[in-house]
Amino acid sequence: MSRTLHLALHPYGVGGPGQHGLWKDPRVAKNASIDIGYYIRQAQAAEHALFDALFIVDSQFINATYPSHYLNRLEPLTLLSAVATHTRHLGLVGTASSTYNSPFNLARRFASLDHISGGRAGWNVVTSFDTGTSRNYGLDEHLDYPTRYGRALEFVQVARGLWDSYEDDAFPADVERGVFLDPAKLHELNHAGEHFKVAGPLNISRSPQGQPVIFQAGVSEEGRDLAARVAEGIYAPGGSLAQAREYYADVKRRTASHGRDPEHLKIFIHGGPVVAATDAAARRREREIFEEDNDFASNLALLGRSFGAYDFSAHDLDAPFPDVAHLAEKGGRTGAAKIIERAREQDLTLRQVVESVNEFRRAPFVGAPETVAGTIAEWFAAGAFDGINLAFRTDDDLELFVDGVVPLLQKRGLFRTEYTAGTLRGHLGLPVPANRHTEARRLADRSA
């Protein structure tokens, strides 16, 4: 069976990590990150191009050094509910923390989005990168890795149980018999686990896709294993072709080891294409973007996010990289460990670490439309991804990709030429999960 490429859109707003100068671009509205019109236009452009989904990232802690988009942005589920009423086919994926939410409340909110959109909702499960988030929720400390990931696994299991509260035919709404609900098809959950105790049932029925699609974005061992156990989509970091292939093969292998079909887990890598009339023009533009965004003070502050929003400005920039390994244990441990390892192996100063982390690196999807389409096809065939989570700096950049690259991908037979499904699961080729209570009754009837 031939594989189909999947494309998602990740709006930058006024600029996320590494896009320190984007808000200065005259083509970018200074209020883009809180302008619902901006997101609706982005979503409609993505839907016009037949993309699978719109992806909204989120976090719940900031300080004044954080990226511009993070300082002032809309809450994902509120945003996506508005976008749902202005689109018909596009999947709508929102980020929400399993560390700083309750299962009943979040399950209800995503189920509501799933109904509002007609079965197009997805949940990107995160365990919260920013250690300072704990203080916004009355906790003195951020939870450690094992606790956060154990909680995340149980959270997803509880949410899925709640989404099965009603069987699909629980509401006959038979006026003649005076029966609105068949009470035999309403089920309490009565979950009591290590992290949660939830009775249920949820007060909303299943949507046309059964349950929202579960996404995950972890790169650590715990993150990869969580994804292999419960995720149906992954937002992967990408990197080089070799790195992307290693990640893809590893997570697909882990998925199979948990008794799941690896085809039911779609891996998206991050992609920020730069498209121009010629390869040379695109490479020049790529370098210009780097120069626009390469602000040392902002890069120094960004480095601190991996270490619990630590303020590195208190250190001598030309002294050896400080011993901050303990700060990474509850924050961005995987990325921080790589930074510490490089600093030790190469005996780098703090200044050199900042410069090395943010040095210019040529991106893969840069060039004329034919070049970009060819590289995407090459990586796709090599088993580096199932899809790309695309981010564009401006509407013009999105338009260049949609008008120049998408038709070439369609010509190669890699990307759809029309929507053939009305749900996010349908776009991704994922099965509708059977309601556990209906399935139990079916098995009982078969064995009787």
Side-chain angles (χ1 to χ4, degrees):
M1 184 177 69
S2 61
R3 295 166 65 219
T4 299
L5 175 68
H6 301 287
L7 298 176
L9 179 63
H10 168 200
Y12 271 154
V14 293
Q19 299 110 40
H20 308 307
L22 180 56
W23 67 272
K24 300 176 185 177
D25 191 310
R27 296 171 294 177
V28 176
K30 305 305 178 275
N31 70 334
S33 296
I34 56 168
D35 177 15
I36 192 59
Y38 162 79
Y39 294 102
I40 290 171
R41 290 191 298 274
Q42 290 270 302
Q44 290 176 335
E47 186 166 82
H48 175 73
L50 306 175
F51 282 19
D52 293 76
L54 180 75
F55 170 58
I56 302 298
V57 70
D58 193 41
S59 63
Q60 299 178 83
F61 170 81
I62 61 164
N63 62 38
T65 70
Y66 269 50
S68 303
H69 177 61
Y70 285 33
L71 296 175
N72 186 26
R73 59 179 168 180
L74 299 175
E75 187 277 321
L77 286 176
T78 308
L79 183 165
L80 290 171
S81 294
V83 170
T85 65
H86 290 79
T87 53
R88 294 180 56 201
H89 301 283
L90 191 69
L92 305 167
V93 183
T95 298
S97 173
S98 59
T99 305
Y100 298 106
N101 274 293
S102 68
F104 187 92
N105 180 267
L106 197 62
R108 187 185 186 203
R109 290 162 60 200
F110 271 106
S112 297
L113 175 62
D114 216 19
H115 274 281
I116 291 168
S117 64
R120 295 184 280 134
W123 171 25
N124 178 38
V125 182
V126 298
T127 62
S128 290
F129 180 85
D130 295 294
T131 59
T133 309
S134 61
R135 299 195 299 275
N136 290 332
Y137 286 84
L139 302 176
D140 293 331
E141 291 188 352
H142 197 45
L143 301 179
D144 59 30
Y145 256 68
T147 303
R148 283 157 55 201
Y149 279 94
R151 179 184 168 98
L153 175 60
E154 187 177 336
F155 198 122
V156 172
Q157 292 169 338
V158 171
R160 284 176 163 164
L162 289 169
W163 288 329
D164 275 353
S165 292
Y166 287 112
E167 296 182 50
D168 291 326
D169 56 350
F171 292 98
D174 189 323
V175 175
E176 291 185 4
R177 292 191 297 126
V179 177
F180 182 72
L181 165 70
D182 181 349
K185 296 183 178 180
L186 170 61
H187 303 274
E188 294 181 359
L189 182 62
N190 292 320
H191 172 88
E194 180 181 357
H195 302 281
F196 304 105
K197 188 175 182 180
V198 183
L202 196 64
N203 56 341
I204 189 167
S205 60
R206 283 160 57 96
S207 82
Q209 67 172 351
Q211 297 183 1
V213 179
I214 298 293
F215 287 79
Q216 209 271 335
V219 296
S220 65
E221 283 296 307
E222 294 92 339
R224 292 186 185 206
D225 194 58
L226 175 65
R229 296 181 70 173
V230 302
E232 297 163 294
I234 294 181
Y235 292 117
S240 67
L241 176 57
Q243 290 169 327
R245 291 184 66 190
E246 182 279 326
Y247 183 96
Y248 186 93
D250 177 57
V251 175
K252 293 281 187 172
R253 176 188 58 78
R254 293 182 192 225
T255 304
S257 73
H258 286 291
R260 299 179 58 207
D261 185 344
E263 288 301 308
H264 294 165
L265 174 61
K266 305 301 181 182
I267 298 178
F268 289 73
I269 67 166
H270 171 76
V274 179
V275 183
T278 66
D279 289 353
R283 288 298 175 186
R284 283 196 302 272
R285 179 57 188 147
E286 179 188 30
R287 186 74 198 204
E288 290 171 358
I289 292 170
F290 173 77
E291 297 297 338
E292 291 169 6
D293 290 334
N294 191 29
D295 176 75
F296 184 86
S298 297
N299 291 338
L300 179 66
L302 187 61
L303 179 69
R305 285 196 71 210
S306 293
F307 299 90
Y310 182 68
D311 183 6
F312 279 103
S313 67
H315 293 270
D316 182 351
L317 291 173
D318 297 307
F321 188 72
D323 182 7
V324 290
H326 63 289
L327 298 175
E329 279 304 307
K330 294 184 180 179
R333 187 178 67 181
T334 303
K338 292 179 180 179
I339 292 169
I340 292 169
E341 181 181 10
R342 182 190 306 166
R344 288 174 177 169
E345 289 181 350
Q346 301 178 24
D347 193 24
L348 301 178
T349 65
L350 174 56
R351 185 190 304 277
Q352 289 170 328
V353 167
V354 175
E355 292 173 346
S356 66
V357 169
N358 296 283
E359 66 186 359
F360 177 73
R361 297 176 179 86
R362 293 186 66 174
F365 309 122
V366 177
E370 186 65 51
T371 300
V372 174
T375 305
I376 290 173
E378 176 191 353
W379 281 45
F380 185 63
F385 56 72
D386 296 306
I388 308 177
N389 193 26
L390 297 161
F392 301 95
R393 293 173 67 84
T394 69
D395 292 346
D396 293 343
D397 296 322
L398 171 58
E399 184 178 342
L400 284 170
F401 184 88
V402 168
D403 292 345
V405 178
V406 169
L408 297 176
L409 296 173
Q410 292 169 327
K411 187 176 181 180
R412 290 170 179 259
L414 296 179
F415 191 60
R416 65 174 64 89
T417 56
E418 63 179 348
Y419 284 116
T420 57
T423 68
L424 179 54
R425 288 186 179 279
H427 299 335
L428 298 176
L430 299 173
V432 174
N435 182 287
R436 65 190 65 192
H437 305 291
T438 305
E439 187 68 7
R441 182 182 292 107
R442 185 185 67 81
L443 293 175
D445 291 343
R446 177 185 292 181
S447 61

